[in-house]
Amino acid sequence: MKAIKYLVMGVLLTGFSATANAQEAELNAALDGIKSQAPNVAKLAEVAFKKNKKNPEAILKIAQAFYAQKDTANARKYANLSNEAGKPKYQFAPAYLLLGDIEASYGTDGGKAASYYNQAITFNPKNPEGYKKWAMVYRKISPTQAAKKLEEMKVQCPDEDIDAFKGHIFMLANDEKQAYENYVKADINKLDKLGLNEFVRCSYFTGHFADAVRAAEAGIKLEPRNPTFNRILYPQVLLRD
């Protein structure tokens, strides 16, 4: 009896392995075809979908590949199919993130992109990407509301540093005062070149020259010939490339 049991298990495992290999092979063929813009790409994607129709992550990879090629129609199609394949249906947060990206990049209604990102937040409130993407879209409507969304993110994702992100949003809105009030709370050692550049500018334009110098000193270590950093630290020197 034990021998029969192990034989059956072996057959089942072999069948499972073969199916998984076939699914992966069809998916990889589709992804390669989409990337190379193969003439039969639609067929490759359809076959891969049928092989992986219960796997929302795999289907989303197809959607993401089409998105990378700026094929928004197919990107939307497979993003929606991945969402439908999720359990429960239509609650697959990564699909909503991609749908939001498509609308943010190629759509004309920023509110629709924000709505998709909000759905992603609803179904996965611990993922900071939904909040960040929502804030970047909504900042065009209300930088203040965008900043408040990041405060919500901080509650769910306490390890996220929101001060620099909020500072960036206010700089994009040309509100140097609010940008400074957020950047000055950020960890300067974690700011990248863009963040330090913005910190310099909002500090300088709001009269906080000591902070402008502090940010420039940190920035020049990352980018020694950056004109903004050098003008703050060495205003008497005429820089030449």
Side-chain angles (χ1 to χ4, degrees):
M1 291 295 293
K2 285 185 178 181
I4 295 174
K5 178 181 178 182
Y6 289 137
L7 178 62
V8 171
M9 288 178 63
V11 171
L12 290 174
L13 289 173
T14 300
F16 178 79
S17 178
T19 300
N21 288 337
Q23 290 171 334
E24 185 175 2
E26 297 294 356
L27 177 61
N28 288 334
L31 298 179
D32 290 341
I34 295 168
K35 186 176 181 179
S36 64
Q37 299 183 334
N40 63 334
V41 65
K43 181 63 176 178
L44 290 171
E46 184 66 23
V47 171
F49 165 69
K50 288 179 179 178
K51 289 285 185 179
N52 294 274
K53 60 184 178 180
K54 294 183 180 180
N55 186 340
E57 290 84 4
I59 301 168
L60 188 66
K61 288 182 180 179
I62 300 172
Q64 290 168 331
F66 276 121
Y67 176 65
Q69 296 300 316
K70 301 181 181 180
D71 184 341
T72 57
N74 276 311
R76 284 192 185 93
K77 172 184 174 180
Y78 285 98
N80 284 319
L81 287 170
S82 73
N83 199 10
E84 186 175 0
K87 294 182 180 180
K89 284 186 177 182
Y90 310 115
Q91 295 186 25
F92 187 46
Y96 287 112
L97 286 177
L98 180 57
L99 288 167
D101 290 347
I102 295 168
E103 290 300 325
S105 299
Y106 302 105
T108 58
D109 184 357
K112 190 172 183 180
S115 177
Y116 281 131
Y117 292 141
N118 213 39
Q119 289 286 76
I121 293 168
T122 297
F123 296 123
N124 188 3
K126 297 297 183 182
N127 183 356
E129 288 305 305
Y131 301 92
K132 292 178 180 180
K133 290 174 181 291
W134 189 98
M136 285 300 292
V137 168
Y138 211 79
R139 66 174 174 79
K140 299 175 182 178
I141 301 170
S142 171
T144 301
Q145 287 298 113
K148 286 182 179 179
K149 199 70 170 181
L150 295 174
E151 294 288 353
E152 293 178 22
M153 179 186 75
K154 187 69 174 177
V155 173
Q156 295 289 340
C157 312
D159 293 335
E160 289 292 318
D161 186 352
I162 66 172
D163 296 316
F165 205 127
K166 288 165 66 177
H168 177 58
I169 283 175
F170 283 114
M171 281 299 287
L172 292 174
N174 297 314
D175 188 339
E176 286 90 359
K177 181 177 182 296
Q178 286 295 324
Y180 170 78
E181 290 181 3
N182 285 281
Y183 265 124
V184 76
K185 294 184 290 185
D187 184 346
I188 196 169
N189 297 310
K190 294 182 179 179
L191 295 180
D192 58 13
K193 289 182 288 187
L194 173 62
L196 289 166
N197 192 299
E198 291 185 340
F199 189 15
V200 167
R201 286 159 47 209
C202 67
S203 297
Y204 183 84
F205 290 125
T206 55
H208 297 90
F209 303 118
D211 284 318
V213 170
R214 185 165 64 93
E217 287 174 340
I220 207 165
K221 294 175 183 177
L222 300 178
E223 197 171 23
R225 295 189 63 79
N226 181 287
T228 299
F229 303 147
N230 277 280
R231 286 192 188 105
I232 294 297
L233 296 175
Y234 313 112
Q236 74 282 7
V237 178
L238 178 63
L239 296 173
R240 294 185 177 89
D241 292 330

